[in-house]
Amino acid sequence: MKYKKIGDILVLDNNYDGNDFEELSQRHNVKTIMKIDHIQGTKREPVYKILYGDETVTINKENGCLFKLDLSKVMWSKGNNNERLRIAKLVGDGETVIDMFAGIGYFSIPIGIHANAKEVIAIEINPNSYHFLCENIKLNKLDNITPVLGDCKEVTPKFKADRIIMGYVKTTHHYLNVAIDSLNEGGILHYHETVPEKLMKTRPLERIISEANGREVELLKINKIKKYAPGVEHVVVDVRID
């Protein structure tokens, strides 16, 4: 049986067909058991089914950070926990960071806790996710994160940053020109993409270069996050843009 434990909620793999939910809840010490079929739309909203219990709000602890969320309304990607901490450890003292797809603070909260950034501008389009982003800023007692409700394509151009995180996949490349235009000279871009394995070392970088408007792009690292589908990898590309 494949499952994820998020706070005190157990999320079962969609292939699980058992019905011993009460025994499962006791064994894993959870209050609710559910399945999340898929995440849909630009607001990344879950399509779900509750199998046991009725409470979908929980607090998950990860990398010394607290994340309050409602699994019936917002997504949680457990496989990205190493990447969230990796980015936080890369942020330099006094940096201004834009988190373009902030969600409930997946990247912003670890940066607030583990780095010494001047400011993290956390942009989120989903009002439910934005609500929990604000809750998590308070929960972790952070004062250098500025939450902004809105479409990052419209909000990002209002700011300039030393580092920009594009922690979304599928259509992220449509936002590259907006991100690069808001990046200070010598700034760092963390660009996420789902890409066929054979194109992993070429396509993401080519897309960045094509949107850089002649600015010099230096590849720093291509980091594999996880397998997205057979033959398809979720990767993040770190580049410096002068």
Side-chain angles (χ1 to χ4, degrees), residues 10-117:
L10 198 68
V11 180
L12 299 179
D13 182 87
N14 280 321
N15 295 323
Y16 180 78
D17 57 4
N19 57 9
D20 51 345
F21 301 129
E22 189 167 354
E23 189 272 331
L24 269 179
S25 73
Q26 292 172 358
R27 190 196 320 161
H28 294 282
N29 191 28
V30 295
K31 62 186 179 185
T32 302
I33 299 174
M34 60 194 298
K35 286 185 179 182
I36 296 176
D37 185 65
H38 63 280
I39 304 296
Q40 65 180 5
T42 56
K43 293 184 179 180
R44 298 172 284 178
E45 296 171 315
V47 175
Y48 68 96
K49 181 180 180 181
I50 295 177
L51 305 170
Y52 178 86
D54 56 13
E55 180 57 68
T56 54
V57 175
T58 190
I59 295 177
N60 192 56
K61 188 172 183 180
E62 175 189 276
N63 296 324
C65 308
L66 298 174
F67 294 95
K68 187 177 181 181
L69 70 159
D70 185 339
L71 284 167
S72 71
K73 295 179 179 177
V74 303
M75 64 168 279
W76 175 265
S77 183
K78 200 172 178 71
N80 292 357
N81 59 339
N82 291 332
E83 177 63 14
R84 294 192 269 263
L85 187 58
R86 182 184 80 91
I87 295 298
K89 289 183 175 180
L90 290 176
V91 173
D93 291 352
E95 283 189 3
T96 297
V97 180
I98 296 176
D99 185 359
M100 286 180 65
F101 306 90
I104 64 170
Y106 312 103
F107 288 98
S108 295
I109 298 297
I111 291 170
I113 288 176
H114 296 293
N116 188 28

